[in-house]
Amino acid sequence: MAYRTGLGAAQAIHAQCNGGKGWYAGVTNKPDRRLREHAVDVGGACGIVECETASVAAEAEKILHEWGYEGQSGGGTTDDSFWVYTYKITPRTVEGR
């Protein structure tokens, strides 16, 4: 299911992982690749939701950052970046890429 609003997508991914402080949120067009780039164990603590448009995904990312998730809004957004992803920050994960 692709989310139509940023708030709906943010609420859904937040419910998946119960994240916030100590979690990272980003936007991408290829979530599996992006999580690997962050050195995240995709079987571990992470969440992924699809949005209808890149602008909805960017809005969801911004909301998650307002809720305490780490990351920079608009960092990896392209026209086909419909996916919002989150993961628990650990000593092994790599932020800021």
Side-chain angles (χ1 to χ4, degrees):
M1 173 179 136
Y3 287 88
R4 293 181 181 194
T5 69
L7 180 59
Q11 289 172 330
I13 201 164
H14 185 70
Q16 277 182 20
C17 61
N18 196 27
K21 187 168 175 59
W23 284 70
Y24 185 95
V27 173
T28 187
N29 59 348
K30 295 180 181 169
D32 290 341
R33 173 191 51 84
R34 197 68 184 112
L35 288 168
R36 280 193 309 275
E37 290 172 352
H38 284 291
V40 174
D41 174 8
V42 293
C46 62
I48 302 169
V49 296
E50 182 180 12
C51 298
E52 285 193 348
T53 66
S55 62
V56 169
E59 179 185 354
E61 178 188 39
K62 182 178 180 223
I63 291 167
L64 291 167
H65 293 160
E66 290 170 359
W67 290 352
Y69 289 72
E70 301 290 326
Q72 295 179 337
S73 295
T77 306
T78 62
D79 289 344
D80 62 346
S81 295
F82 297 165
W83 297 91
V84 181
Y85 65 94
T86 62
Y87 64 84
K88 178 93 172 125
I89 297 170
T90 71
R92 295 183 54 120
T93 57
V94 179
E95 291 69 53
R97 281 190 170 177

